[in-house]
Amino acid sequence: MSISGSGAPDSSANGVCVPVSGVPDGGAHNESESATLPVLDLDVLHDLEEDMGSTGVAHSFARDYIRIWDKRRTYLESSIEDDDAEAAMDAVLSLKNSAMMVGAARLAQLAVNLERLVKSGDLPAVRRLLPFVALTGEQTVCSLEQGYLPPEA
């Protein structure tokens, strides 16, 4: 699965979610690099649907991703707040792998950058990027809800 995706740089899956403007400053080029990617690469989810032979598993995966987004974000934030590099790496890897699997291209690239920063011991840089992680995660959730998942009956 590729995280490169397609789509306009500042668009979500359907263009109605929060725009990337107003991104917090402080992560050098990290946020601008990931901001060039689409929030959601629907091709990844369509590949999952095809691999599973139905949309049900992919929809369930997307709903589970949405349901535990806040837990992933909070785990990352608390590990950085506690200056716990080991927990931060665990949180970043969880964020990266789940983002790649759900087609969250922008968030996955940001997580790759966070992983590099944690490996180098630069937790202050990770801390500066946390507002962008939260914003990008919320954009991803919005894109999944409004641009991929069918309306709840």
mmCIF file of all heavy atoms in Angstrom, residues 72-103:
data_model
loop_
_atom_site.group_PDB
_atom_site.id
_atom_site.type_symbol
_atom_site.label_atom_id
_atom_site.label_comp_id
_atom_site.label_asym_id
_atom_site.label_seq_id
_atom_site.Cartn_x
_atom_site.Cartn_y
_atom_site.Cartn_z
ATOM 1 N N ARG A 72 -5.373 7.105 20.266
ATOM 2 C CA ARG A 72 -4.027 7.158 19.663
ATOM 3 C C ARG A 72 -3.400 8.532 19.876
ATOM 4 O O ARG A 72 -2.231 8.640 20.235
ATOM 5 C CB ARG A 72 -4.096 6.845 18.170
ATOM 6 C CG ARG A 72 -4.199 5.395 17.856
ATOM 7 C CD ARG A 72 -3.888 5.124 16.385
ATOM 8 N NE ARG A 72 -3.951 3.703 16.154
ATOM 9 C CZ ARG A 72 -4.990 3.084 15.603
ATOM 10 N NH1 ARG A 72 -6.039 3.768 15.219
ATOM 11 N NH2 ARG A 72 -4.968 1.787 15.434
ATOM 12 N N ARG A 73 -4.170 9.585 19.618
ATOM 13 C CA ARG A 73 -3.666 10.954 19.780
ATOM 14 C C ARG A 73 -3.268 11.209 21.230
ATOM 15 O O ARG A 73 -2.186 11.725 21.512
ATOM 16 C CB ARG A 73 -4.716 11.967 19.329
ATOM 17 C CG ARG A 73 -4.272 13.416 19.469
ATOM 18 C CD ARG A 73 -5.414 14.389 19.224
ATOM 19 N NE ARG A 73 -6.631 14.073 19.948
ATOM 20 C CZ ARG A 73 -6.833 14.323 21.246
ATOM 21 N NH1 ARG A 73 -5.902 14.875 21.978
ATOM 22 N NH2 ARG A 73 -7.967 13.998 21.812
ATOM 23 N N THR A 74 -4.132 10.819 22.159
ATOM 24 C CA THR A 74 -3.865 11.040 23.584
ATOM 25 C C THR A 74 -2.638 10.271 24.043
ATOM 26 O O THR A 74 -1.834 10.784 24.834
ATOM 27 C CB THR A 74 -5.098 10.629 24.418
ATOM 28 O OG1 THR A 74 -6.211 11.420 23.985
ATOM 29 C CG2 THR A 74 -4.875 10.851 25.888
ATOM 30 N N TYR A 75 -2.465 9.050 23.570
ATOM 31 C CA TYR A 75 -1.293 8.249 23.927
ATOM 32 C C TYR A 75 -0.015 8.941 23.464
ATOM 33 O O TYR A 75 0.971 9.034 24.211
ATOM 34 C CB TYR A 75 -1.427 6.846 23.334
ATOM 35 C CG TYR A 75 -0.287 5.903 23.637
ATOM 36 C CD1 TYR A 75 0.288 5.828 24.908
ATOM 37 C CD2 TYR A 75 0.197 5.053 22.649
ATOM 38 C CE1 TYR A 75 1.330 4.946 25.178
ATOM 39 C CE2 TYR A 75 1.229 4.160 22.913
ATOM 40 C CZ TYR A 75 1.791 4.121 24.174
ATOM 41 O OH TYR A 75 2.811 3.240 24.433
ATOM 42 N N LEU A 76 -0.013 9.452 22.246
ATOM 43 C CA LEU A 76 1.154 10.182 21.740
ATOM 44 C C LEU A 76 1.407 11.426 22.580
ATOM 45 O O LEU A 76 2.537 11.669 23.020
ATOM 46 C CB LEU A 76 0.960 10.554 20.265
ATOM 47 C CG LEU A 76 2.072 11.415 19.656
ATOM 48 C CD1 LEU A 76 3.414 10.684 19.692
ATOM 49 C CD2 LEU A 76 1.695 11.807 18.227
ATOM 50 N N GLU A 77 0.374 12.202 22.820
ATOM 51 C CA GLU A 77 0.536 13.428 23.598
ATOM 52 C C GLU A 77 1.052 13.156 25.010
ATOM 53 O O GLU A 77 1.953 13.849 25.499
ATOM 54 C CB GLU A 77 -0.793 14.201 23.662
ATOM 55 C CG GLU A 77 -1.187 14.799 22.332
ATOM 56 C CD GLU A 77 -2.589 15.382 22.315
ATOM 57 O OE1 GLU A 77 -3.356 15.175 23.288
ATOM 58 O OE2 GLU A 77 -2.928 16.031 21.310
ATOM 59 N N SER A 78 0.510 12.146 25.665
ATOM 60 C CA SER A 78 0.939 11.864 27.039
ATOM 61 C C SER A 78 2.361 11.316 27.077
ATOM 62 O O SER A 78 3.122 11.626 27.998
ATOM 63 C CB SER A 78 -0.038 10.925 27.739
ATOM 64 O OG SER A 78 -0.049 9.666 27.135
ATOM 65 N N SER A 79 2.750 10.530 26.086
ATOM 66 C CA SER A 79 4.123 10.017 26.065
ATOM 67 C C SER A 79 5.122 11.155 25.872
ATOM 68 O O SER A 79 6.201 11.144 26.478
ATOM 69 C CB SER A 79 4.291 8.950 24.986
ATOM 70 O OG SER A 79 4.157 9.492 23.699
ATOM 71 N N ILE A 80 4.769 12.128 25.071
ATOM 72 C CA ILE A 80 5.650 13.281 24.866
ATOM 73 C C ILE A 80 5.656 14.153 26.119
ATOM 74 O O ILE A 80 6.711 14.633 26.546
ATOM 75 C CB ILE A 80 5.219 14.088 23.619
ATOM 76 C CG1 ILE A 80 5.380 13.238 22.350
ATOM 77 C CG2 ILE A 80 6.005 15.386 23.505
ATOM 78 C CD1 ILE A 80 6.785 12.738 22.093
ATOM 79 N N GLU A 81 4.492 14.359 26.706
ATOM 80 C CA GLU A 81 4.404 15.143 27.943
ATOM 81 C C GLU A 81 5.261 14.523 29.048
ATOM 82 O O GLU A 81 5.889 15.233 29.834
ATOM 83 C CB GLU A 81 2.948 15.223 28.405
ATOM 84 C CG GLU A 81 2.723 16.081 29.627
ATOM 85 C CD GLU A 81 1.256 16.148 29.991
ATOM 86 O OE1 GLU A 81 0.442 16.494 29.107
ATOM 87 O OE2 GLU A 81 0.928 15.858 31.156
ATOM 88 N N ASP A 82 5.314 13.190 29.086
ATOM 89 C CA ASP A 82 6.101 12.472 30.095
ATOM 90 C C ASP A 82 7.565 12.292 29.687
ATOM 91 O O ASP A 82 8.329 11.647 30.410
ATOM 92 C CB ASP A 82 5.491 11.089 30.358
ATOM 93 C CG ASP A 82 4.117 11.158 30.987
ATOM 94 O OD1 ASP A 82 3.754 12.216 31.543
ATOM 95 O OD2 ASP A 82 3.385 10.140 30.904
ATOM 96 N N ASP A 83 7.952 12.821 28.522
ATOM 97 C CA ASP A 83 9.305 12.641 27.983
ATOM 98 C C ASP A 83 9.698 11.165 27.923
ATOM 99 O O ASP A 83 10.827 10.786 28.222
ATOM 100 C CB ASP A 83 10.347 13.432 28.788
ATOM 101 C CG ASP A 83 10.251 14.926 28.541
ATOM 102 O OD1 ASP A 83 10.027 15.317 27.373
ATOM 103 O OD2 ASP A 83 10.373 15.701 29.512
ATOM 104 N N ASP A 84 8.754 10.327 27.535
ATOM 105 C CA ASP A 84 8.959 8.880 27.451
ATOM 106 C C ASP A 84 9.178 8.496 25.987
ATOM 107 O O ASP A 84 8.215 8.265 25.236
ATOM 108 C CB ASP A 84 7.750 8.163 28.045
ATOM 109 C CG ASP A 84 7.917 6.660 28.127
ATOM 110 O OD1 ASP A 84 8.788 6.101 27.426
ATOM 111 O OD2 ASP A 84 7.158 6.036 28.895
ATOM 112 N N ALA A 85 10.441 8.444 25.587
ATOM 113 C CA ALA A 85 10.769 8.182 24.185
ATOM 114 C C ALA A 85 10.298 6.803 23.732
ATOM 115 O O ALA A 85 9.859 6.644 22.584
ATOM 116 C CB ALA A 85 12.275 8.322 23.967
ATOM 117 N N GLU A 86 10.360 5.814 24.600
ATOM 118 C CA GLU A 86 9.923 4.467 24.227
ATOM 119 C C GLU A 86 8.411 4.437 23.953
ATOM 120 O O GLU A 86 7.955 3.885 22.948
ATOM 121 C CB GLU A 86 10.273 3.476 25.337
ATOM 122 C CG GLU A 86 10.020 2.037 24.948
ATOM 123 C CD GLU A 86 10.506 1.056 26.005
ATOM 124 O OE1 GLU A 86 11.610 1.248 26.540
ATOM 125 O OE2 GLU A 86 9.757 0.096 26.274
ATOM 126 N N ALA A 87 7.640 5.043 24.837
ATOM 127 C CA ALA A 87 6.187 5.109 24.626
ATOM 128 C C ALA A 87 5.865 5.978 23.416
ATOM 129 O O ALA A 87 4.934 5.675 22.654
ATOM 130 C CB ALA A 87 5.485 5.645 25.874
ATOM 131 N N ALA A 88 6.637 7.045 23.224
ATOM 132 C CA ALA A 88 6.415 7.912 22.063
ATOM 133 C C ALA A 88 6.636 7.137 20.768
ATOM 134 O O ALA A 88 5.859 7.270 19.818
ATOM 135 C CB ALA A 88 7.325 9.135 22.125
ATOM 136 N N MET A 89 7.676 6.310 20.734
ATOM 137 C CA MET A 89 7.929 5.511 19.532
ATOM 138 C C MET A 89 6.784 4.528 19.307
ATOM 139 O O MET A 89 6.325 4.352 18.176
ATOM 140 C CB MET A 89 9.261 4.766 19.644
ATOM 141 C CG MET A 89 9.598 3.963 18.398
ATOM 142 S SD MET A 89 9.683 4.945 16.857
ATOM 143 C CE MET A 89 11.252 5.760 17.097
ATOM 144 N N ASP A 90 6.315 3.893 20.370
ATOM 145 C CA ASP A 90 5.182 2.978 20.257
ATOM 146 C C ASP A 90 3.957 3.709 19.705
ATOM 147 O O ASP A 90 3.276 3.219 18.797
ATOM 148 C CB ASP A 90 4.879 2.367 21.626
ATOM 149 C CG ASP A 90 3.776 1.330 21.578
ATOM 150 O OD1 ASP A 90 3.861 0.402 20.745
ATOM 151 O OD2 ASP A 90 2.822 1.449 22.368
ATOM 152 N N ALA A 91 3.694 4.899 20.230
ATOM 153 C CA ALA A 91 2.543 5.685 19.782
ATOM 154 C C ALA A 91 2.690 6.110 18.329
ATOM 155 O O ALA A 91 1.729 6.050 17.548
ATOM 156 C CB ALA A 91 2.370 6.914 20.682
ATOM 157 N N VAL A 92 3.883 6.533 17.939
ATOM 158 C CA VAL A 92 4.129 6.978 16.565
ATOM 159 C C VAL A 92 3.987 5.812 15.586
ATOM 160 O O VAL A 92 3.395 5.965 14.516
ATOM 161 C CB VAL A 92 5.521 7.640 16.458
ATOM 162 C CG1 VAL A 92 5.959 7.775 15.016
ATOM 163 C CG2 VAL A 92 5.514 8.998 17.138
ATOM 164 N N LEU A 93 4.510 4.643 15.956
ATOM 165 C CA LEU A 93 4.394 3.487 15.068
ATOM 166 C C LEU A 93 2.941 3.054 14.907
ATOM 167 O O LEU A 93 2.510 2.696 13.804
ATOM 168 C CB LEU A 93 5.254 2.334 15.575
ATOM 169 C CG LEU A 93 6.764 2.559 15.494
ATOM 170 C CD1 LEU A 93 7.512 1.416 16.159
ATOM 171 C CD2 LEU A 93 7.219 2.758 14.053
ATOM 172 N N SER A 94 2.177 3.107 15.979
ATOM 173 C CA SER A 94 0.746 2.790 15.901
ATOM 174 C C SER A 94 0.041 3.780 14.982
ATOM 175 O O SER A 94 -0.768 3.403 14.126
ATOM 176 C CB SER A 94 0.130 2.814 17.301
ATOM 177 O OG SER A 94 -1.262 2.653 17.230
ATOM 178 N N LEU A 95 0.364 5.053 15.165
ATOM 179 C CA LEU A 95 -0.223 6.112 14.343
ATOM 180 C C LEU A 95 0.139 5.902 12.870
ATOM 181 O O LEU A 95 -0.725 5.948 11.987
ATOM 182 C CB LEU A 95 0.274 7.474 14.837
ATOM 183 C CG LEU A 95 -0.219 8.695 14.113
ATOM 184 C CD1 LEU A 95 -1.695 8.927 14.394
ATOM 185 C CD2 LEU A 95 0.593 9.910 14.551
ATOM 186 N N LYS A 96 1.407 5.645 12.604
ATOM 187 C CA LYS A 96 1.873 5.484 11.218
ATOM 188 C C LYS A 96 1.227 4.277 10.546
ATOM 189 O O LYS A 96 0.686 4.388 9.435
ATOM 190 C CB LYS A 96 3.399 5.346 11.198
ATOM 191 C CG LYS A 96 3.973 5.139 9.803
ATOM 192 C CD LYS A 96 5.465 4.974 9.824
ATOM 193 C CE LYS A 96 5.830 3.558 10.181
ATOM 194 N NZ LYS A 96 7.256 3.258 10.011
ATOM 195 N N ASN A 97 1.280 3.123 11.204
ATOM 196 C CA ASN A 97 0.762 1.901 10.582
ATOM 197 C C ASN A 97 -0.739 1.967 10.348
ATOM 198 O O ASN A 97 -1.231 1.575 9.283
ATOM 199 C CB ASN A 97 1.139 0.688 11.426
ATOM 200 C CG ASN A 97 2.632 0.435 11.401
ATOM 201 O OD1 ASN A 97 3.314 0.745 10.436
ATOM 202 N ND2 ASN A 97 3.155 -0.117 12.484
ATOM 203 N N SER A 98 -1.482 2.470 11.321
ATOM 204 C CA SER A 98 -2.936 2.551 11.144
ATOM 205 C C SER A 98 -3.291 3.579 10.070
ATOM 206 O O SER A 98 -4.206 3.357 9.278
ATOM 207 C CB SER A 98 -3.629 2.878 12.466
ATOM 208 O OG SER A 98 -3.231 4.141 12.954
ATOM 209 N N ALA A 99 -2.552 4.687 10.026
ATOM 210 C CA ALA A 99 -2.812 5.703 9.000
ATOM 211 C C ALA A 99 -2.558 5.145 7.605
ATOM 212 O O ALA A 99 -3.350 5.369 6.681
ATOM 213 C CB ALA A 99 -1.957 6.946 9.261
ATOM 214 N N MET A 100 -1.468 4.405 7.449
ATOM 215 C CA MET A 100 -1.178 3.801 6.144
ATOM 216 C C MET A 100 -2.283 2.838 5.729
ATOM 217 O O MET A 100 -2.702 2.820 4.574
ATOM 218 C CB MET A 100 0.167 3.073 6.186
ATOM 219 C CG MET A 100 1.352 3.976 6.196
ATOM 220 S SD MET A 100 2.866 2.993 6.290
ATOM 221 C CE MET A 100 4.096 4.253 5.986
ATOM 222 N N MET A 101 -2.753 2.045 6.679
ATOM 223 C CA MET A 101 -3.764 1.037 6.361
ATOM 224 C C MET A 101 -5.115 1.637 5.996
ATOM 225 O O MET A 101 -5.853 1.053 5.206
ATOM 226 C CB MET A 101 -3.920 0.079 7.534
ATOM 227 C CG MET A 101 -2.722 -0.826 7.727
ATOM 228 S SD MET A 101 -2.859 -1.877 9.176
ATOM 229 C CE MET A 101 -4.246 -2.899 8.710
ATOM 230 N N VAL A 102 -5.450 2.813 6.561
ATOM 231 C CA VAL A 102 -6.748 3.422 6.287
ATOM 232 C C VAL A 102 -6.673 4.442 5.143
ATOM 233 O O VAL A 102 -7.684 5.008 4.753
ATOM 234 C CB VAL A 102 -7.349 4.035 7.577
ATOM 235 C CG1 VAL A 102 -6.760 5.420 7.868
ATOM 236 C CG2 VAL A 102 -8.866 4.070 7.529
ATOM 237 N N GLY A 103 -5.484 4.653 4.603
ATOM 238 C CA GLY A 103 -5.342 5.598 3.499
ATOM 239 C C GLY A 103 -5.181 7.034 3.928
ATOM 240 O O GLY A 103 -5.348 7.957 3.121
#
